[in-house]
Amino acid sequence: MYVGELLKSLERIPSGVPGLDPLINGGFLPGRLYLITGPPGSGKTTIGIQFLIEGAKNNEVGLFVSFFDNPKIIIQDMLKYNLGLLSYVQSKKIVFYDMAEYLLHINHKMSWSELFNKILSFISEVNAKRVVIDSFTSMKDMVRDPENKRIALIKFIRELENKEVTVLLISEMVNPDTYSEEYYLASGVIVLHHFIRNYTMVRALQILKMRGIPHDSNMKRIRFTSEGVRVYAEAPF
C-alpha cells in the first residue's frame, strides 16, 4: 500500500447539506459507501440530490439510480428547491437512471451480483464520481437470491473503492431496533428522525456511524428550507 493511498483518508467530499460537514470533520471520505436511512418524508432523497448537486458544482458527474420512483417525478418534486437541478440535468452533470423501468422491461428478477454489476456499468458509462441509489429497500424485493446480499455488497463496495466513487445508499427505516448487513458494511450511517411535540413536527439527524472520521453522534435539528435540508448545531428538543 502506497503512502499516497493512505493520505487519501485526509481528503473530504463535501456533502452539499448545509450544517452537516462540520459534524463529520469536513465531509465524507472519497470512494466510500454511506447509508442514509429514515422514515417516510424525512429528507432522504432530498439529501441525495443535494449531494449530487454539490459534485456538479465542482464539475463532477453525478448518477441517481432509482429503483422505485420515475426520475421525471423526482426532478419535478425537487424543483421546489432553489438548487438549480434542472440545469445540471440538462448539461448531463447529473444523470438519472430508471432501474425500476429496466427491471420491468426484462420481466425477471436479477441476482444481487447482476444488480450491482449493472449499477457499476452505469457508473462507468457516465464516468460518475458521486452516486445515489434510491432505495436499497426496493432492491431487496427485486432479487432472486436474497441470501447472497452480504457477499455481493462487499464486492460492490470494493469496486467503488477502486473506482474512487462515493455513494449514498438510501434505505427506508423499517424497524429502528434492527440492523441489517448494510449498516455494518457501510462506512457511515446517517439516521433521519421525525417526532411530534406539542402538535408540531420536529425533524432531526443523527450520525450513527462514520468510520475514520471524528463525528458528533448527538441528534441535531434539521429543517426543510428553500435550498433543501439544513442541519442546525442544536438539539431537536
Side-chain angles (χ1 to χ4, degrees):
M1 185 176 294
Y2 296 104
V3 173
E5 293 177 352
L6 293 172
L7 290 176
K8 283 184 179 178
S9 64
L10 302 177
E11 299 175 7
R12 292 291 184 270
I13 302 293
S15 68
V17 180
L20 176 57
D21 291 351
L23 303 180
I24 53 176
N25 201 34
F28 299 120
L29 294 175
R32 304 288 189 97
L33 181 142
Y34 296 94
L35 183 69
I36 311 293
T37 186
S42 55
K44 302 182 296 296
T45 301
T46 301
I47 286 175
I49 293 295
Q50 289 174 252
F51 173 70
L52 295 183
I53 286 176
E54 183 66 24
K57 289 177 181 177
N58 294 300
N59 209 33
E60 297 174 347
V61 175
L63 174 65
F64 191 107
V65 182
S66 175
F67 277 85
F68 179 71
D69 288 315
N70 186 320
K72 181 177 72 173
I73 300 299
I74 298 172
I75 294 169
Q76 287 175 342
D77 289 345
M78 291 299 127
L79 291 180
K80 65 185 176 184
Y81 300 117
N82 298 325
L83 294 171
L85 173 60
L86 200 55
S87 64
Y88 292 121
V89 172
Q90 291 171 333
S91 64
K92 295 186 171 19
K93 285 299 178 187
I94 296 179
V95 179
F96 284 79
Y97 192 87
D98 191 347
M99 192 66 182
E101 179 65 26
Y102 172 79
L103 291 169
L104 289 171
H105 179 72
I106 63 173
N107 199 30
H108 66 79
K109 289 188 173 184
M110 302 174 75
S111 68
W112 274 112
S113 291
E114 290 170 338
L115 206 55
F116 284 130
N117 285 336
K118 190 67 178 174
I119 295 172
L120 288 169
S121 73
F122 302 154
I123 292 171
S124 296
E125 184 180 324
V126 301
N127 195 28
K129 301 309 290 182
R130 294 180 182 229
V131 176
V132 173
I133 300 172
D134 190 359
S135 72
F136 194 66
T137 313
S138 297
M139 289 175 67
K140 296 175 185 177
D141 298 327
M142 298 177 177
V143 295
R144 62 173 183 265
D145 59 341
E147 70 280 2
N148 292 327
K149 179 177 71 169
R150 187 180 185 88
I151 186 64
L153 183 55
I154 289 171
K155 290 179 179 177
F156 180 61
I157 291 172
R158 286 293 185 93
E159 281 298 316
L160 295 174
E161 291 171 356
N162 292 336
K163 293 176 178 291
E164 299 184 355
V165 174
T166 310
V167 174
L168 297 190
L169 182 64
I170 293 174
S171 178
E172 299 163 17
M173 183 186 287
V174 179
N175 184 344
D177 298 318
T178 302
Y179 300 117
S180 50
E181 287 95 335
E182 56 270 24
Y183 281 79
Y184 298 96
L185 297 178
S187 287
V189 178
I190 295 177
V191 183
L192 303 176
H193 304 272
H194 49 49
F195 313 90
I196 297 294
R197 289 290 184 273
N198 298 322
Y199 306 101
T200 301
M201 176 76 79
V202 178
R203 302 180 186 275
L205 174 147
Q206 181 183 19
I207 301 163
L208 188 65
K209 163 187 170 182
M210 199 62 59
R211 285 186 197 146
I213 298 177
H215 57 279
D216 186 340
S217 294
N218 294 320
M219 280 193 191
K220 302 297 181 185
R221 180 183 290 272
I222 62 173
R223 292 187 176 94
F224 286 101
T225 73
S226 61
E227 296 181 345
V229 171
R230 176 178 286 271
V231 184
Y232 295 85
E234 61 186 45
F237 306 115

